[in-house]
Amino acid sequence: MACLGAYLANGRLLPPAGDDVPNRLIPFAILGSGTLTLDPFREQVNGDPAHYYVEERRSSLVSLYPVGAAIVALPVYVPCYAWLRSRGHDSPAWLFVASKLAGKLAAAIIAAACTALLFLMLRRRVSAAMAAAITLTFALGTGMWVIASQQLWQHGPGVLCILLGMRFLTLPGSPAAGADAAAAPRAGWAAAAAGLALGMAFAVRPQNVFFLAAGGAYLLLRGGDPGRRRRSVLGFVLGSAAPVAATLAYSLYYFGTVLGGYTRFVPHLQPQVAWAGMAGLLLSPNRGLLVFSPAALFGLWGMATALRRWRQELLLASFSAAAVIFALLHASTTTWSGGGSFGPRYLTEALPILALAAGLVVPALPLWGRTAAMLLVLASVLVEIDGAVCYPASSWHARTAAYPEASWDFRHPMLLEDLRTWLARRTSSSPPEPVPLPDSAFKVAWQRVVWRKMDWPAMRWVATGVLEGLHPRERVLALVTLRNAGDRAWPDAAAADPARSGIYAVRLAYRWRRAASGWGPYEKRADLREPLAAGDAAVIWIPVIAPPEPGDYLLQFDLVQERIAWFADKGADQLLLPARVKPP
Protein backbone atom coordinates (compact mmCIF):
# COMPACT_ATOMS: atom_id res chain seq x y z
CA MET A 1 0.00 0.00 0.00
CA ALA A 2 2.90 2.36 0.72
CA CYS A 3 4.32 1.76 -2.75
CA LEU A 4 0.91 2.13 -4.38
CA GLY A 5 0.54 5.48 -2.63
CA ALA A 6 3.94 6.57 -3.91
CA TYR A 7 3.10 5.50 -7.46
CA LEU A 8 -0.09 7.59 -7.46
CA ALA A 9 1.26 10.51 -5.43
CA ASN A 10 2.41 12.59 -8.39
CA GLY A 11 -1.23 12.95 -9.43
CA ARG A 12 -0.53 13.22 -13.13
CA LEU A 13 -0.61 11.25 -16.34
CA LEU A 14 2.39 10.96 -18.63
CA PRO A 15 1.85 11.71 -22.33
CA PRO A 16 0.80 8.51 -24.18
CA ALA A 17 3.82 6.59 -25.40
CA GLY A 18 1.94 4.83 -28.21
CA ASP A 19 3.02 1.35 -27.12
CA ASP A 20 0.79 1.61 -24.05
CA VAL A 21 -2.39 2.67 -25.87
CA PRO A 22 -3.59 -0.81 -26.97
CA ASN A 23 -2.89 -2.22 -23.49
CA ARG A 24 -5.13 0.36 -21.84
CA LEU A 25 -7.95 0.04 -24.43
CA ILE A 26 -8.20 -3.71 -25.00
CA PRO A 27 -9.54 -4.50 -21.49
CA PHE A 28 -12.47 -2.16 -22.17
CA ALA A 29 -12.89 -3.75 -25.61
CA ILE A 30 -13.11 -7.18 -23.95
CA LEU A 31 -15.59 -6.08 -21.31
CA GLY A 32 -17.72 -3.86 -23.52
CA SER A 33 -17.63 -5.66 -26.87
CA GLY A 34 -16.14 -9.10 -26.24
CA THR A 35 -13.23 -8.57 -28.65
CA LEU A 36 -9.45 -8.51 -28.49
CA THR A 37 -9.33 -5.98 -31.32
CA LEU A 38 -9.50 -2.21 -31.16
CA ASP A 39 -12.52 -2.00 -33.46
CA PRO A 40 -14.72 -0.37 -30.77
CA PHE A 41 -12.22 2.50 -30.65
CA ARG A 42 -11.56 2.77 -34.37
CA GLU A 43 -12.66 6.41 -34.56
CA GLN A 44 -10.58 7.48 -31.56
CA VAL A 45 -7.47 5.56 -32.59
CA ASN A 46 -7.59 6.69 -36.23
CA GLY A 47 -7.95 10.25 -34.98
CA ASP A 48 -4.42 9.99 -33.58
CA PRO A 49 -1.96 10.78 -36.42
CA ALA A 50 0.67 8.71 -34.59
CA HIS A 51 -1.31 5.47 -34.48
CA TYR A 52 1.66 3.37 -35.53
CA TYR A 53 0.77 0.93 -32.72
CA VAL A 54 -2.13 -0.62 -34.66
CA GLU A 55 -2.60 -2.28 -38.02
CA GLU A 56 -5.60 -3.15 -40.17
CA ARG A 57 -5.67 -6.94 -40.32
CA ARG A 58 -8.53 -9.20 -41.45
CA SER A 59 -10.83 -6.17 -41.53
CA SER A 60 -10.08 -5.45 -37.89
CA LEU A 61 -7.93 -2.88 -36.13
CA VAL A 62 -5.45 -4.89 -34.05
CA SER A 63 -2.57 -4.06 -31.76
CA LEU A 64 0.93 -4.28 -33.16
CA TYR A 65 1.91 -5.93 -29.87
CA PRO A 66 0.61 -9.05 -28.08
CA VAL A 67 -2.45 -8.67 -25.88
CA GLY A 68 -1.08 -10.41 -22.78
CA ALA A 69 -0.55 -7.17 -20.86
CA ALA A 70 -4.21 -6.26 -21.34
CA ILE A 71 -5.27 -9.71 -20.06
CA VAL A 72 -3.12 -9.29 -16.93
CA ALA A 73 -4.64 -5.86 -16.30
CA LEU A 74 -8.21 -7.07 -16.83
CA PRO A 75 -9.07 -7.63 -13.12
CA VAL A 76 -8.37 -3.96 -12.39
CA TYR A 77 -10.60 -2.88 -15.27
CA VAL A 78 -13.65 -4.91 -14.19
CA PRO A 79 -14.71 -2.55 -11.36
CA CYS A 80 -13.75 0.49 -13.45
CA TYR A 81 -15.98 -0.67 -16.30
CA ALA A 82 -18.82 -1.60 -13.96
CA TRP A 83 -18.72 1.86 -12.37
CA LEU A 84 -18.67 3.63 -15.74
CA ARG A 85 -21.47 1.48 -17.13
CA SER A 86 -23.67 2.08 -14.07
CA ARG A 87 -23.48 5.79 -14.89
CA GLY A 88 -24.11 5.39 -18.59
CA HIS A 89 -20.54 6.27 -19.52
CA ASP A 90 -19.71 3.11 -21.47
CA SER A 91 -19.61 4.60 -24.97
CA PRO A 92 -16.29 4.28 -26.86
CA ALA A 93 -15.66 8.01 -26.48
CA TRP A 94 -16.10 7.84 -22.71
CA LEU A 95 -14.08 4.65 -22.36
CA PHE A 96 -11.25 6.04 -24.47
CA VAL A 97 -10.87 9.01 -22.12
CA ALA A 98 -11.34 6.87 -19.00
CA SER A 99 -8.70 4.41 -20.22
CA LYS A 100 -5.97 6.95 -19.48
CA LEU A 101 -6.84 6.90 -15.78
CA ALA A 102 -7.66 3.19 -15.73
CA GLY A 103 -4.35 2.40 -17.43
CA LYS A 104 -2.33 4.27 -14.83
CA LEU A 105 -4.33 2.74 -11.98
CA ALA A 106 -3.78 -0.75 -13.39
CA ALA A 107 -0.07 -0.09 -13.92
CA ALA A 108 0.33 1.20 -10.35
CA ILE A 109 -1.58 -1.74 -8.80
CA ILE A 110 0.41 -4.27 -10.84
CA ALA A 111 3.70 -2.65 -9.82
CA ALA A 112 2.63 -2.62 -6.17
CA ALA A 113 1.68 -6.30 -6.41
CA CYS A 114 5.18 -6.98 -7.73
CA THR A 115 6.68 -5.43 -4.60
CA ALA A 116 4.50 -7.62 -2.37
CA LEU A 117 5.58 -10.77 -4.22
CA LEU A 118 9.22 -9.78 -4.09
CA PHE A 119 9.02 -9.17 -0.33
CA LEU A 120 7.48 -12.62 0.25
CA MET A 121 10.25 -14.25 -1.77
CA LEU A 122 13.04 -12.32 -0.07
CA ARG A 123 11.55 -13.06 3.35
CA ARG A 124 12.37 -16.75 2.83
CA ARG A 125 16.09 -15.91 2.65
CA VAL A 126 16.76 -12.77 4.71
CA SER A 127 15.39 -10.96 7.73
CA ALA A 128 12.18 -8.96 7.51
CA ALA A 129 14.07 -5.66 7.80
CA MET A 130 16.52 -6.62 5.04
CA ALA A 131 13.71 -7.92 2.84
CA ALA A 132 11.80 -4.66 3.30
CA ALA A 133 14.91 -2.59 2.49
CA ILE A 134 15.63 -4.47 -0.74
CA THR A 135 11.95 -4.44 -1.72
CA LEU A 136 11.59 -0.69 -1.19
CA THR A 137 14.74 -0.12 -3.23
CA PHE A 138 13.26 -2.24 -6.01
CA ALA A 139 9.94 -0.38 -5.78
CA LEU A 140 11.16 3.20 -5.43
CA GLY A 141 14.74 3.18 -6.69
CA THR A 142 14.35 1.53 -10.09
CA GLY A 143 12.27 1.74 -13.25
CA MET A 144 9.45 0.00 -11.40
CA TRP A 145 8.39 3.51 -10.39
CA VAL A 146 8.66 5.70 -13.49
CA ILE A 147 8.38 2.95 -16.11
CA ALA A 148 6.22 0.13 -14.75
CA SER A 149 3.83 2.05 -12.48
CA GLN A 150 3.06 5.14 -14.54
CA GLN A 151 1.89 3.72 -17.87
CA LEU A 152 0.47 0.36 -18.87
CA TRP A 153 3.42 -0.75 -20.93
CA GLN A 154 4.19 -4.46 -21.24
CA HIS A 155 6.94 -4.22 -18.65
CA GLY A 156 4.95 -4.12 -15.40
CA PRO A 157 2.69 -7.08 -16.29
CA GLY A 158 5.79 -8.94 -17.48
CA VAL A 159 7.55 -8.43 -14.15
CA LEU A 160 4.44 -9.61 -12.29
CA CYS A 161 4.26 -12.82 -14.33
CA ILE A 162 7.99 -13.52 -13.88
CA LEU A 163 7.75 -13.04 -10.12
CA LEU A 164 4.65 -15.24 -9.95
CA GLY A 165 6.46 -17.97 -11.84
CA MET A 166 9.43 -17.85 -9.49
CA ARG A 167 7.12 -17.70 -6.48
CA PHE A 168 5.28 -20.87 -7.51
CA LEU A 169 8.62 -22.62 -7.95
CA THR A 170 9.54 -21.72 -4.36
CA LEU A 171 6.24 -22.52 -2.60
CA PRO A 172 6.32 -25.10 0.21
CA GLY A 173 6.03 -28.49 -1.43
CA SER A 174 7.21 -27.14 -4.79
CA PRO A 175 10.24 -28.45 -6.67
CA ALA A 176 12.46 -25.66 -5.38
CA ALA A 177 11.42 -26.33 -1.79
CA GLY A 178 12.48 -29.95 -1.94
CA ALA A 179 9.10 -31.67 -1.74
CA ASP A 180 9.03 -35.23 -0.44
CA ALA A 181 7.20 -38.08 -2.15
CA ALA A 182 3.95 -37.37 -0.33
CA ALA A 183 4.05 -33.79 -1.62
CA ALA A 184 4.69 -34.81 -5.21
CA PRO A 185 1.17 -33.93 -6.42
CA ARG A 186 1.55 -30.45 -4.90
CA ALA A 187 4.92 -30.13 -6.66
CA GLY A 188 3.26 -30.94 -9.97
CA TRP A 189 0.56 -28.34 -9.44
CA ALA A 190 3.13 -25.75 -8.36
CA ALA A 191 5.15 -26.45 -11.52
CA ALA A 192 2.01 -26.14 -13.65
CA ALA A 193 1.17 -22.80 -12.00
CA ALA A 194 4.74 -21.62 -12.59
CA GLY A 195 4.44 -22.64 -16.24
CA LEU A 196 1.17 -20.75 -16.57
CA ALA A 197 2.66 -17.59 -15.04
CA LEU A 198 5.82 -17.70 -17.15
CA GLY A 199 3.77 -18.58 -20.22
CA MET A 200 1.75 -15.44 -19.54
CA ALA A 201 5.04 -13.52 -19.36
CA PHE A 202 5.62 -14.72 -22.93
CA ALA A 203 2.08 -13.65 -23.86
CA VAL A 204 2.79 -10.19 -22.44
CA ARG A 205 6.03 -9.82 -24.36
CA PRO A 206 7.57 -12.64 -26.43
CA GLN A 207 11.08 -11.49 -25.48
CA ASN A 208 10.30 -12.96 -22.04
CA VAL A 209 10.69 -16.42 -23.55
CA PHE A 210 14.12 -16.58 -21.87
CA PHE A 211 12.50 -16.46 -18.42
CA LEU A 212 10.09 -19.21 -19.48
CA ALA A 213 13.10 -21.24 -20.58
CA ALA A 214 14.82 -20.51 -17.25
CA GLY A 215 11.93 -22.08 -15.35
CA GLY A 216 12.06 -25.16 -17.54
CA ALA A 217 15.86 -25.39 -17.25
CA TYR A 218 15.62 -25.29 -13.48
CA LEU A 219 13.17 -28.18 -13.40
CA LEU A 220 15.33 -30.24 -15.76
CA LEU A 221 18.61 -29.61 -13.93
CA ARG A 222 17.51 -29.91 -10.30
CA GLY A 223 18.22 -33.13 -8.45
CA GLY A 224 15.78 -35.38 -6.67
CA ASP A 225 13.54 -38.25 -7.63
CA PRO A 226 13.49 -38.69 -11.45
CA GLY A 227 9.79 -39.52 -11.48
CA ARG A 228 8.86 -36.42 -9.53
CA ARG A 229 11.10 -34.35 -11.80
CA ARG A 230 9.34 -35.72 -14.87
CA ARG A 231 5.94 -34.91 -13.41
CA SER A 232 7.08 -31.39 -12.59
CA VAL A 233 8.44 -30.83 -16.10
CA LEU A 234 5.21 -32.18 -17.61
CA GLY A 235 3.12 -29.93 -15.38
CA PHE A 236 5.27 -26.93 -16.29
CA VAL A 237 4.93 -27.61 -20.02
CA LEU A 238 1.18 -28.13 -19.80
CA GLY A 239 0.77 -24.99 -17.70
CA SER A 240 2.66 -22.84 -20.18
CA ALA A 241 1.08 -24.38 -23.27
CA ALA A 242 -2.19 -22.42 -23.21
CA PRO A 243 -0.82 -18.85 -23.07
CA VAL A 244 2.04 -19.64 -25.44
CA ALA A 245 -0.23 -21.37 -27.97
CA ALA A 246 -2.84 -18.61 -27.75
CA THR A 247 -0.20 -15.93 -28.36
CA LEU A 248 1.25 -17.77 -31.36
CA ALA A 249 -2.24 -18.42 -32.75
CA TYR A 250 -3.15 -14.73 -32.40
CA SER A 251 0.06 -13.73 -34.24
CA LEU A 252 -0.46 -16.28 -37.00
CA TYR A 253 -4.12 -15.39 -37.47
CA TYR A 254 -3.66 -11.63 -37.74
CA PHE A 255 -0.09 -11.29 -39.02
CA GLY A 256 0.66 -14.59 -40.75
CA THR A 257 3.83 -15.16 -38.68
CA VAL A 258 4.62 -16.28 -35.15
CA LEU A 259 6.50 -13.00 -34.65
CA GLY A 260 3.28 -11.04 -35.05
CA GLY A 261 3.75 -7.28 -35.28
CA TYR A 262 7.35 -7.64 -34.19
CA THR A 263 8.28 -8.50 -37.78
CA ARG A 264 8.52 -4.74 -38.29
CA PHE A 265 11.37 -4.58 -35.84
CA VAL A 266 13.42 -7.56 -37.04
CA PRO A 267 15.66 -5.31 -39.22
CA HIS A 268 16.68 -3.47 -36.05
CA LEU A 269 18.29 -6.66 -34.72
CA GLN A 270 22.00 -6.22 -35.48
CA PRO A 271 24.23 -8.39 -33.25
CA GLN A 272 27.33 -6.36 -34.11
CA VAL A 273 26.06 -3.52 -31.89
CA ALA A 274 25.59 -5.78 -28.84
CA TRP A 275 28.59 -4.64 -26.81
CA ALA A 276 28.00 -0.96 -27.51
CA GLY A 277 24.33 -1.43 -26.67
CA MET A 278 25.13 -3.24 -23.42
CA ALA A 279 27.54 -0.51 -22.41
CA GLY A 280 24.80 2.02 -23.10
CA LEU A 281 22.17 0.08 -21.17
CA LEU A 282 24.44 -0.07 -18.14
CA LEU A 283 26.54 3.11 -18.18
CA SER A 284 25.30 5.80 -20.59
CA PRO A 285 24.37 9.07 -18.82
CA ASN A 286 20.86 9.18 -20.31
CA ARG A 287 19.94 5.49 -20.37
CA GLY A 288 22.35 3.59 -18.14
CA LEU A 289 20.98 1.32 -15.42
CA LEU A 290 23.80 2.25 -13.04
CA VAL A 291 23.10 5.94 -13.62
CA PHE A 292 19.34 5.75 -13.04
CA SER A 293 19.54 3.01 -10.37
CA PRO A 294 23.05 2.96 -8.85
CA ALA A 295 21.89 0.45 -6.24
CA ALA A 296 21.55 -2.11 -9.07
CA LEU A 297 25.31 -2.61 -8.65
CA PHE A 298 24.56 -4.97 -5.77
CA GLY A 299 22.08 -6.88 -7.92
CA LEU A 300 24.70 -7.38 -10.62
CA TRP A 301 27.12 -8.57 -7.96
CA GLY A 302 24.50 -10.99 -6.64
CA MET A 303 23.77 -12.33 -10.12
CA ALA A 304 27.47 -13.03 -10.63
CA THR A 305 27.51 -14.80 -7.27
CA ALA A 306 24.47 -16.90 -8.17
CA LEU A 307 26.00 -17.94 -11.48
CA ARG A 308 29.25 -18.87 -9.74
CA ARG A 309 27.34 -20.98 -7.16
CA TRP A 310 24.84 -22.33 -9.63
CA ARG A 311 24.57 -25.76 -8.01
CA GLN A 312 23.50 -24.23 -4.70
CA GLU A 313 21.51 -21.39 -6.29
CA LEU A 314 20.10 -23.17 -9.32
CA LEU A 315 16.81 -21.25 -9.54
CA LEU A 316 18.39 -17.81 -9.20
CA ALA A 317 21.28 -18.79 -11.47
CA SER A 318 18.85 -19.95 -14.17
CA PHE A 319 16.92 -16.69 -14.08
CA SER A 320 20.14 -14.66 -13.87
CA ALA A 321 21.39 -16.32 -17.04
CA ALA A 322 18.02 -15.57 -18.66
CA ALA A 323 18.28 -11.92 -17.59
CA VAL A 324 21.75 -11.64 -19.15
CA ILE A 325 20.53 -13.13 -22.46
CA PHE A 326 17.44 -10.91 -22.31
CA ALA A 327 19.65 -7.82 -21.89
CA LEU A 328 21.97 -8.92 -24.71
CA LEU A 329 18.98 -9.34 -27.05
CA HIS A 330 17.92 -5.74 -26.50
CA ALA A 331 21.51 -4.50 -26.62
CA SER A 332 21.77 -6.13 -30.06
CA THR A 333 19.20 -3.78 -31.56
CA THR A 334 19.61 -0.30 -32.95
CA THR A 335 16.69 0.75 -30.71
CA TRP A 336 18.34 -0.34 -27.42
CA SER A 337 17.82 3.11 -25.88
CA GLY A 338 14.06 2.48 -25.69
CA GLY A 339 12.74 5.65 -27.33
CA GLY A 340 10.81 8.21 -25.33
CA SER A 341 11.16 6.85 -21.81
CA PHE A 342 12.91 7.47 -18.52
CA GLY A 343 16.02 5.34 -18.12
CA PRO A 344 16.72 1.82 -19.43
CA ARG A 345 13.14 0.76 -20.17
CA TYR A 346 14.18 -2.48 -21.84
CA LEU A 347 15.83 -3.78 -18.66
CA THR A 348 12.67 -3.52 -16.54
CA GLU A 349 11.94 -7.26 -16.68
CA ALA A 350 15.43 -7.96 -15.28
CA LEU A 351 14.81 -5.80 -12.17
CA PRO A 352 13.22 -8.54 -9.99
CA ILE A 353 16.15 -10.84 -10.73
CA LEU A 354 18.56 -8.09 -9.67
CA ALA A 355 16.60 -7.52 -6.46
CA LEU A 356 16.49 -11.20 -5.54
CA ALA A 357 20.17 -11.55 -6.34
CA ALA A 358 20.98 -8.61 -4.08
CA GLY A 359 19.65 -10.73 -1.22
CA LEU A 360 22.68 -12.98 -1.68
CA VAL A 361 25.29 -10.30 -1.02
CA VAL A 362 23.81 -7.34 0.86
CA PRO A 363 23.19 -9.14 4.21
CA ALA A 364 26.87 -10.13 4.34
CA LEU A 365 28.20 -6.59 3.82
CA PRO A 366 30.33 -5.04 6.56
CA LEU A 367 29.26 -1.78 8.16
CA TRP A 368 31.07 0.38 5.61
CA GLY A 369 29.52 -1.67 2.81
CA ARG A 370 26.02 -1.16 4.18
CA THR A 371 26.71 2.55 4.48
CA ALA A 372 27.77 2.65 0.83
CA ALA A 373 24.65 0.65 -0.08
CA MET A 374 22.44 3.15 1.74
CA LEU A 375 24.02 6.03 -0.18
CA LEU A 376 23.46 4.26 -3.50
CA VAL A 377 19.87 3.53 -2.52
CA LEU A 378 19.32 7.18 -1.64
CA ALA A 379 20.75 8.26 -5.00
CA SER A 380 18.51 5.75 -6.80
CA VAL A 381 15.37 6.97 -5.05
CA LEU A 382 16.22 10.63 -5.74
CA VAL A 383 16.63 9.83 -9.43
CA GLU A 384 13.25 8.11 -9.53
CA ILE A 385 11.62 11.04 -7.71
CA ASP A 386 13.07 13.27 -10.43
CA GLY A 387 11.42 11.01 -13.00
CA ALA A 388 8.10 10.72 -11.19
CA VAL A 389 7.80 14.48 -10.62
CA CYS A 390 9.87 16.26 -13.29
CA TYR A 391 10.04 14.00 -16.37
CA PRO A 392 9.47 14.91 -19.24
CA ALA A 393 9.57 18.66 -18.47
CA SER A 394 12.48 19.42 -20.80
CA SER A 395 11.11 17.34 -23.75
CA TRP A 396 14.53 15.72 -23.87
CA HIS A 397 13.59 12.95 -26.27
CA ALA A 398 11.82 15.26 -28.71
CA ARG A 399 14.92 17.46 -28.89
CA THR A 400 17.49 14.69 -29.14
CA ALA A 401 15.77 11.96 -31.17
CA ALA A 402 17.66 12.99 -34.30
CA TYR A 403 21.05 12.47 -32.65
CA PRO A 404 22.36 8.88 -32.50
CA GLU A 405 24.79 9.86 -29.76
CA ALA A 406 22.10 11.35 -27.51
CA SER A 407 22.23 8.50 -24.97
CA TRP A 408 25.94 9.27 -24.43
CA ASP A 409 25.56 13.06 -24.46
CA PHE A 410 27.13 14.26 -21.20
CA ARG A 411 26.39 17.90 -22.10
CA HIS A 412 22.62 17.34 -22.07
CA PRO A 413 21.79 14.98 -19.19
CA MET A 414 18.09 14.21 -19.10
CA LEU A 415 17.98 14.09 -15.30
CA LEU A 416 19.39 17.58 -14.81
CA GLU A 417 17.55 19.19 -17.71
CA ASP A 418 14.17 17.88 -16.53
CA LEU A 419 14.91 19.04 -12.97
CA ARG A 420 16.07 22.51 -14.04
CA THR A 421 13.07 23.00 -16.30
CA TRP A 422 10.65 21.83 -13.61
CA LEU A 423 12.20 24.17 -11.03
CA ALA A 424 12.21 27.11 -13.44
CA ARG A 425 8.50 26.69 -14.14
CA ARG A 426 7.76 26.90 -10.44
CA THR A 427 10.10 29.74 -9.49
CA SER A 428 9.78 32.16 -12.42
CA SER A 429 7.21 34.84 -11.63
CA SER A 430 7.23 36.67 -14.97
CA PRO A 431 8.16 35.90 -18.57
CA PRO A 432 11.70 36.77 -19.70
CA GLU A 433 12.50 40.02 -21.40
CA PRO A 434 12.39 39.81 -25.22
CA VAL A 435 15.75 39.59 -26.94
CA PRO A 436 15.05 40.04 -30.67
CA LEU A 437 17.66 38.86 -33.13
CA PRO A 438 18.94 41.47 -35.59
CA ASP A 439 17.84 41.14 -39.20
CA SER A 440 21.31 39.87 -40.12
CA ALA A 441 20.69 36.75 -37.99
CA PHE A 442 17.58 35.67 -39.92
CA LYS A 443 19.47 33.65 -42.53
CA VAL A 444 19.37 29.89 -43.00
CA ALA A 445 20.99 27.41 -45.36
CA TRP A 446 18.83 24.32 -45.84
CA GLN A 447 20.99 21.25 -46.43
CA ARG A 448 19.03 18.00 -46.33
CA VAL A 449 15.71 16.40 -45.40
CA VAL A 450 15.20 12.67 -44.88
CA TRP A 451 11.96 10.92 -43.96
CA ARG A 452 10.72 7.91 -42.09
CA LYS A 453 7.38 6.11 -42.15
CA MET A 454 6.49 3.13 -40.01
CA ASP A 455 5.53 1.07 -43.06
CA TRP A 456 8.60 1.86 -45.15
CA PRO A 457 11.08 -1.04 -45.35
CA ALA A 458 12.97 -1.43 -42.07
CA MET A 459 11.58 1.95 -40.94
CA ARG A 460 14.80 3.57 -42.15
CA TRP A 461 15.33 7.20 -42.94
CA VAL A 462 15.07 7.73 -46.70
CA ALA A 463 15.69 10.72 -48.92
CA THR A 464 13.12 11.45 -51.60
CA GLY A 465 12.33 14.31 -53.91
CA VAL A 466 8.56 13.82 -53.74
CA LEU A 467 6.97 12.51 -50.57
CA GLU A 468 4.48 10.11 -52.14
CA GLY A 469 2.03 7.62 -50.74
CA LEU A 470 0.89 9.62 -47.72
CA HIS A 471 -2.51 8.89 -46.27
CA PRO A 472 -4.75 11.68 -44.96
CA ARG A 473 -3.73 12.76 -41.44
CA GLU A 474 -0.84 10.28 -41.44
CA ARG A 475 2.19 11.19 -39.35
CA VAL A 476 5.68 10.87 -40.81
CA LEU A 477 8.97 11.88 -39.25
CA ALA A 478 11.37 14.35 -40.84
CA LEU A 479 15.04 14.93 -40.11
CA VAL A 480 15.90 18.44 -41.29
CA THR A 481 19.57 19.44 -41.54
CA LEU A 482 20.20 23.18 -41.69
CA ARG A 483 22.96 25.71 -41.05
CA ASN A 484 22.88 29.06 -39.27
CA ALA A 485 23.90 31.39 -42.14
CA GLY A 486 23.44 34.51 -40.02
CA ASP A 487 25.89 36.39 -37.81
CA ARG A 488 24.37 35.65 -34.36
CA ALA A 489 23.68 32.51 -32.39
CA TRP A 490 20.09 31.29 -32.42
CA PRO A 491 18.76 30.70 -28.89
CA ASP A 492 17.15 27.39 -28.09
CA ALA A 493 14.17 27.15 -25.71
CA ALA A 494 16.34 26.87 -22.58
CA ALA A 495 18.60 29.80 -23.53
CA ALA A 496 15.57 32.01 -24.23
CA ASP A 497 13.68 30.92 -21.10
CA PRO A 498 14.90 28.42 -18.44
CA ALA A 499 11.31 27.17 -18.13
CA ARG A 500 11.42 26.12 -21.81
CA SER A 501 8.16 27.85 -22.64
CA GLY A 502 9.46 28.42 -26.18
CA ILE A 503 9.06 32.18 -25.90
CA TYR A 504 11.68 34.06 -27.99
CA ALA A 505 13.38 30.77 -28.99
CA VAL A 506 14.26 29.84 -32.57
CA ARG A 507 12.17 26.82 -33.60
CA LEU A 508 11.37 24.83 -36.72
CA ALA A 509 7.80 24.66 -38.08
CA TYR A 510 6.02 23.58 -41.24
CA ARG A 511 2.84 24.29 -43.18
CA TRP A 512 1.03 22.89 -46.23
CA ARG A 513 -0.13 24.55 -49.44
CA ARG A 514 -2.61 23.33 -51.99
CA ALA A 515 -3.06 25.33 -55.19
CA ALA A 516 -6.80 25.67 -54.75
CA SER A 517 -6.74 26.80 -51.12
CA GLY A 518 -3.37 28.52 -50.54
CA TRP A 519 -1.16 28.17 -47.52
CA GLY A 520 -2.53 26.63 -44.35
CA PRO A 521 -1.42 27.61 -40.83
CA TYR A 522 1.96 26.71 -39.41
CA GLU A 523 1.66 23.50 -37.44
CA LYS A 524 3.82 21.60 -34.95
CA ARG A 525 7.05 23.22 -33.70
CA ALA A 526 10.38 21.50 -33.00
CA ASP A 527 13.13 22.82 -30.72
CA LEU A 528 16.85 23.08 -31.21
CA ARG A 529 18.87 20.80 -28.94
CA GLU A 530 21.10 23.73 -27.90
CA PRO A 531 21.87 27.27 -29.07
CA LEU A 532 23.14 27.17 -32.66
CA ALA A 533 26.16 29.38 -33.26
CA ALA A 534 26.62 31.32 -36.48
CA GLY A 535 28.03 29.05 -39.17
CA ASP A 536 27.15 25.81 -37.33
CA ALA A 537 24.76 23.14 -38.58
CA ALA A 538 22.14 21.14 -36.70
CA VAL A 539 19.72 18.28 -37.33
CA ILE A 540 16.16 18.77 -36.07
CA TRP A 541 13.59 15.99 -35.69
CA ILE A 542 9.99 17.02 -36.37
CA PRO A 543 6.79 14.98 -36.85
CA VAL A 544 4.81 16.05 -39.92
CA ILE A 545 1.08 15.35 -40.18
CA ALA A 546 -0.33 14.94 -43.69
CA PRO A 547 -3.32 17.09 -44.81
CA PRO A 548 -6.80 15.62 -44.32
CA GLU A 549 -7.70 15.66 -48.04
CA PRO A 550 -6.01 13.74 -50.91
CA GLY A 551 -4.16 15.70 -53.57
CA ASP A 552 -0.84 17.32 -54.52
CA TYR A 553 0.68 19.73 -52.02
CA LEU A 554 3.72 21.81 -51.25
CA LEU A 555 5.30 21.42 -47.83
CA GLN A 556 7.14 24.48 -46.51
CA PHE A 557 9.64 24.39 -43.66
CA ASP A 558 10.52 27.65 -41.97
CA LEU A 559 12.16 28.92 -38.81
CA VAL A 560 10.66 31.36 -36.37
CA GLN A 561 11.91 33.36 -33.45
CA GLU A 562 8.78 33.03 -31.36
CA ARG A 563 6.90 36.28 -30.82
CA ILE A 564 9.45 38.13 -32.95
CA ALA A 565 9.37 37.10 -36.63
CA TRP A 566 9.30 34.30 -39.15
CA PHE A 567 12.59 33.89 -41.02
CA ALA A 568 10.75 33.95 -44.37
CA ASP A 569 9.31 37.37 -43.48
CA LYS A 570 12.86 38.60 -42.97
CA GLY A 571 13.92 37.46 -46.43
CA ALA A 572 15.41 34.09 -45.53
CA ASP A 573 15.28 31.19 -47.96
CA GLN A 574 12.34 28.81 -47.66
CA LEU A 575 12.47 25.05 -48.03
CA LEU A 576 9.65 23.85 -50.31
CA LEU A 577 9.03 20.16 -51.00
CA PRO A 578 6.34 18.51 -53.14
CA ALA A 579 4.13 15.87 -51.53
CA ARG A 580 1.23 13.71 -52.66
CA VAL A 581 -1.59 12.50 -50.42
CA LYS A 582 -3.47 9.52 -51.82
CA PRO A 583 -7.06 8.54 -51.03
CA PRO A 584 -7.47 6.25 -48.01
Side-chain angles (χ1 to χ4, degrees), residues 120-315:
L120 291 173
M121 296 179 68
L122 284 168
R123 188 64 188 87
R124 296 174 60 85
R125 306 187 61 120
V126 299
S127 68
M130 182 61 66
I134 295 175
T135 299
L136 288 172
T137 303
F138 164 80
L140 303 178
T142 71
M144 287 302 297
W145 191 346
V146 184
I147 296 296
S149 79
Q150 298 299 297
Q151 291 179 298
L152 194 55
W153 266 321
Q154 292 95 333
H155 306 293
V159 170
L160 179 63
C161 293
I162 292 167
L163 279 169
L164 278 171
M166 297 183 74
R167 174 64 176 163
F168 284 124
L169 289 175
T170 56
L171 284 175
S174 67
D180 55 27
R186 280 191 296 164
W189 282 110
L196 176 63
L198 293 170
M200 279 303 302
F202 174 87
V204 168
R205 198 159 177 253
Q207 294 92 323
N208 293 332
V209 66
F210 302 113
F211 299 108
L212 175 62
Y218 164 75
L219 293 173
L220 287 170
L221 295 175
R222 69 181 179 88
D225 177 66
R228 181 160 53 85
R229 186 165 67 241
R230 285 194 296 270
R231 285 191 293 272
S232 296
V233 171
L234 178 61
F236 184 86
V237 171
L238 292 176
S240 64
V244 171
T247 301
L248 297 178
Y250 175 91
S251 297
L252 282 170
Y253 180 77
Y254 282 114
F255 296 93
T257 170
V258 294
L259 294 178
Y262 282 104
T263 52
R264 279 189 176 185
F265 304 103
V266 169
H268 290 286
L269 184 62
Q270 298 180 16
Q272 65 270 23
V273 306
W275 296 115
M278 185 62 78
L281 285 171
L282 293 177
L283 300 171
S284 64
N286 294 309
R287 293 298 181 202
L289 175 68
L290 296 179
V291 174
F292 285 75
S293 299
L297 180 65
F298 293 99
L300 294 173
W301 181 8
M303 285 174 57
T305 302
L307 289 169
R308 189 171 66 252
R309 304 176 188 167
W310 68 271
R311 287 183 175 85
Q312 297 82 15
E313 299 289 347
L314 181 58
L315 183 68

Side-chain angles (χ1 to χ4, degrees), residues 494-516:
D497 177 11
R500 293 188 186 273
S501 65
I503 187 172
Y504 310 128
V506 171
R507 306 169 85 186
L508 178 67
Y510 72 90
R511 63 177 176 175
W512 294 97
R513 179 182 180 181
R514 194 174 187 183

